[in-house]
């Protein structure tokens, strides 16, 4: 268990407030599961002043089959749930999504990401940088996987420029909403066929020599002016497939006014070298950790930062070879965190840098359970259900399918009677990389001749203990034992094949000492009445019940159903009545102590086992009878050191006593 300094103490120190005595914090692992080579999911309980439920997916980029990617819906700007989008993006050997977390901030109304999103150098949205130190993203900071395969969290600088015949202008954005006093370039890769702007600006339409098939960092667009829409123009401004559009307002619009029809303009879409040719780049914020220490790039006293809420983050190691998805829930059993607390927690884990993601109600983590490609929800979203988002981060495995390695199965029976059939139920089969394999290909192989097998079923052939291999192709994934009991003479519907007293019951049934009921039940736990006990005892002793002398019990007339059996046992001197021999009380239950006396006297049992029972001491009237039962191996009592003398005897326990007497 790892110890942490209390997050509340760290926060008070940062604010220069009086520091109370430290509160010990601790983290314990609730569950852990490898998802694929190099990817592991953990669930933690982190406790300081409050309990926090943490989910954490670690991705080791040193593993050749592990990486991180950004997941986007097919239609950019559409929204999907994290688990559904991750499942959809899991598309075979080269790209199996095994874990995911919500990622980019987005506009709740239209689903478009607010900040920079680029993948394989393609600019999906150049984004904005918010103003004000109370905003999440007031600095241009991104997470991504760079061209060398490393994870990176750092500042970025887009370098968008438009070169006109007489001047060069800064382009403020690509394929996003035009704001006040901005110059925006729109290409055919915009999510709409038109610029979607209003009449309060100017737009110039350019035609290139050929189709503009992409919008990428490092790309240069060239085109000649073919249409001009001056300030106040209404209607759609279509983006040509073989060109682009420049849209501007205020001073930027004024600067474009020198452009005339037919003039050529060059637009250069650049980004600083660190991010050029990156696998993906996604802006977010604020930064939480830098150089292993808390480093908030927004005002920690702003209402957004001070809000106790569910949080999501991406963290990386100093060598940039480890990426970590981290969420903390805000539910009835998990206290959310402020941004300062979240940053302190991540810094305490030893990571070099961390970047906040779109948390709150969007906080979601998913993982791949064994045996499926369907991504399952790992955390509990504070919104009550999973919210649809515009982008996710994915932990991706490229490990190809291999041979079967892991299996999880259950057997419906481990003890059978001869002729009885059992089966296994396979929950999942995976290869070494935890890729799912078809459970239908699992089959059984019998070792020895105690059982036979057919597919995933096994049938008992003879008494004994057999072994069965669980196989996938030629690979043995598991082995289990099957105990086959001797065939029994009874067939009671309430007696299982693995009945603990099977041999005793078989003996009693074969010798017609104890029979079942008309509904084909035995009811082993039922208690015995005195008259039923006499019937069983008369059968066991083979007493003559055809010619008996009336024992004179006033409550056992000759018309009583069991008169002959009761009379036979009484004639043998084994039992006598109560109240001067007049009352037998045939319907009363018989206790374990009473039965001990009857059996000791009936079979003339001698001896004293001197076994201490906590509820039958030497002064107890039944002490000698109980000790004689134990001395003659008729009974042993219970494992807790009791005999339970006053407990009514169960049918099966009476039968076991009689079986022991016969041995």
């Amino acid at each position: 268990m790892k110890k942490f300094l209390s997050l509340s103490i760290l926060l008070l120190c940062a604010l220069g407030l009086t520091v109370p005595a430290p509160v010990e914090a601790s983290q314990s692992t609730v569950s852990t599961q490898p998802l694929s080579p190099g990817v592991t999911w953990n669930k933690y309980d982190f406790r300081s002043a409050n309990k926090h439920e943490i989910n954490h997916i670690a991705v080791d980029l040193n593993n050749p089959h592990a990486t991180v990617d950004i997941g986007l819906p097919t239609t950019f700007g559409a929204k999907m749930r994290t688990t559904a989008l991750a499942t959809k993006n899991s598309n075979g050997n080269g790209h199996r999504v095994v874990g995911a977390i919500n990622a980019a901030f987005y506009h709740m109304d239209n689903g478009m990401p607010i900040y920079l999103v680029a993948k394989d150098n393609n600019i999906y949205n150049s984004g904005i940088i918010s103003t004000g130190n109370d905003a999440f993203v007031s600095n241009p900071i991104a997470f991504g996987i760079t061209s060398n395969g490393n994870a990176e969290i750092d500042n970025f600088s887009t370098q968008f420029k438009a070169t006109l015949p007489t001047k060069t202008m800064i382009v403020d954005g690509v394929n996003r909403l035009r704001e006040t006093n901005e110059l925006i370039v729109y290409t055919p890769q915009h999510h709409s066929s038109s610029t979607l702007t209003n009449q309060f600006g100017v737009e110039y339409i350019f035609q290139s020599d050929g189709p503009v098939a992409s919008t990428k960092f490092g790309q240069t667009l060239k085109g000649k002016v073919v249409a001009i829409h001056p300030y106040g123009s209404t209607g759609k401004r279509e983006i040509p497939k073989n060109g682009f559009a420049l849209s501007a307002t205020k001073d930027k619009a004024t600067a474009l006014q020198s452009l005339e029809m037919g003039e050529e303009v060059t637009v250069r879409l650049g980004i600083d070298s660190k991010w050029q040719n990156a696998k993906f780049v996604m802006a977010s914020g604020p930064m939480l950790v830098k150089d292993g220490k808390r480093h908030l790039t927004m005002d920690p006293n702003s209402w957004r930062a001070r809000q106790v809420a569910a949080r999501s983050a991406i963290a990386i190691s100093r060598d940039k070879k480890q990426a970590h998805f981290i969420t903390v829930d805000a539910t009835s059993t998990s206290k959310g965190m402020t941004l300062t607390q979240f940053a302190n927690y991540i810094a305490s884990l030893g990571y070099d840098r961390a970047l906040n993601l779109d948390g709150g109600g969007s906080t979601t983590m998913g993982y791949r359970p064994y045996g499926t490609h369907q991504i399952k929800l790992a955390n509990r979203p504070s919104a009550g259900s999973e919210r649809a988002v515009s982008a996710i981060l994915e932990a991706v495995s490229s490990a190809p399918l291999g041979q079967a390695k892991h299996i999880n199965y259950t057997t419906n029976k481990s003890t059978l009677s001869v002729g009885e059939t059992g089966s296994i139920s396979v929950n999942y089969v995976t290869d070494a990389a935890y890729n799912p394999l078809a459970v239908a290909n699992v089959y059984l192989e019998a070792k020895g001749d105690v059982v036979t097998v057919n597919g995933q079923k096994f049938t008992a052939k003879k008494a004994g203990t057999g072994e069965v291999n669980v196989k996938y192709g030629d690979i043995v994934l598991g082995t289990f034992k099957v105990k086959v009991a001797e065939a029994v003479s009874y067939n009671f519907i309430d007696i299982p094949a693995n009945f603990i007293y099977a041999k005793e019951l078989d003996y009693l049934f074969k010798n017609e000492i104890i029979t079942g009921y008309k509904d084909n039940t035995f009811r082993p736990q039922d208690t015995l009445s005195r008259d039923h006990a006499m019937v069983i005892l008369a059968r066991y002793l083979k007493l003559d019940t055809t010619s008996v002398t009336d024992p004179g019990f006033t409550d056992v007339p000759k018309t009583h159903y069991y008169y002959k059996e009761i009379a036979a046992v009484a004639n043998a001197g084994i039992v006598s009545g109560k109240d001067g021999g007049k009352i037998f009380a045939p319907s009363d239950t018989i206790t374990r102590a009473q039965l001990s006396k009857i059996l000791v006297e009936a079979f003339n049992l001698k001896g004293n086992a001197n076994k201490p029972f906590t509820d039958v001491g030497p002064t107890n009237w039944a002490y000698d009878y109980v000790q004689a039962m134990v001395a003659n191996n008729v009974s042993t009592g219970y494992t807790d050191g009791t005999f339970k003398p006053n407990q009514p005897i169960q049918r099966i326990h009476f039968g076991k006593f009689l079986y022991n007497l016969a041995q």
Side-chain angles (χ1 to χ4, degrees), residues 139-404:
N139 291 271
I141 304 171
F143 166 71
I145 301 296
T146 57
S147 59
N148 59 6
N150 287 343
E152 184 62 271
I153 294 175
D154 205 353
N155 288 78
F156 66 91
S157 173
T158 55
Q159 298 153 11
F160 304 152
K161 295 181 179 181
T163 302
L164 284 60
T166 60
K167 68 187 75 173
T168 296
M169 298 178 63
I170 299 296
V171 175
D172 298 289
V174 178
N175 289 337
R176 67 163 173 81
L177 180 67
R178 184 191 67 198
E179 302 286 351
T180 301
N181 201 27
E182 284 191 332
L183 174 61
I184 304 295
V185 61
Y186 293 98
T187 71
Q189 284 68 52
H190 184 43
H191 70 278
S192 174
S193 60
S194 64
T195 62
L196 303 179
T197 51
N198 55 34
Q199 68 271 29
F200 304 113
V202 299
E203 292 192 343
Y204 290 74
I205 309 301
F206 298 85
Q207 182 173 312
S208 302
D209 292 337
V212 177
S214 63
T215 305
K216 294 188 173 186
F217 288 123
Q219 184 176 357
T220 298
L221 303 173
K222 288 185 179 181
K224 294 180 179 179
V225 180
V226 294
I228 299 174
H229 300 278
Y231 184 89
S233 299
T234 59
K236 275 190 171 185
R237 287 80 181 271
E238 298 289 338
I239 304 169
K241 297 296 184 183
N242 61 337
F244 55 94
L246 287 177
S247 179
T249 60
K250 288 197 172 182
D251 295 344
K252 296 290 181 78
T254 301
L256 286 178
Q257 287 181 353
S258 61
L259 271 177
E260 297 181 358
M261 293 288 291
E263 288 190 317
E264 186 174 78
V265 169
T266 298
V267 177
R268 171 71 178 173
L269 305 177
I271 193 169
D272 48 304
S273 59
K274 173 177 289 188
W275 295 106
Q276 182 64 43
N277 298 317
K279 185 175 182 179
F280 70 89
V281 186
M282 185 199 72
S284 191
M287 184 178 279
L288 301 173
V289 177
K290 184 177 181 181
D291 298 328
K293 299 178 182 179
R294 186 184 73 233
H295 181 84
L296 283 181
T297 54
M298 70 177 294
D299 182 1
N301 294 311
S302 65
W303 71 269
R304 291 187 178 93
R306 288 187 294 106
Q307 185 179 18
V308 178
R311 302 287 183 184
S312 306
I314 178 71
I316 64 173
S317 59
R318 184 175 296 276
D319 65 1
K320 306 182 188 301
K321 291 298 185 181
Q322 309 285 332
H324 301 269
F325 303 171
I326 302 170
T327 65
V328 58
D329 287 344
T331 63
S332 60
T333 58
S334 174
K335 188 80 169 177
M337 292 184 179
T338 67
L339 278 180
T340 298
Q341 290 171 333
F342 198 36
N344 284 337
Y345 169 74
I346 295 174
S348 73
L349 299 176
Y351 304 134
D352 185 62
R353 296 193 177 194
L355 186 66
N356 184 62
L357 302 175
D358 181 20
S362 296
T363 297
T364 307
M365 184 173 288
Y367 71 101
R368 177 181 72 170
Y370 295 152
T372 179
H373 287 303
Q374 299 291 317
I375 301 299
K376 178 182 177 181
L377 192 63
N379 73 315
R380 295 189 298 155
S382 58
S385 60
E386 191 179 347
R387 180 183 289 174
V389 298
S390 65
I392 63 174
L393 292 177
E394 301 169 342
V396 178
S397 172
S398 61
L401 282 177
Q403 292 184 324

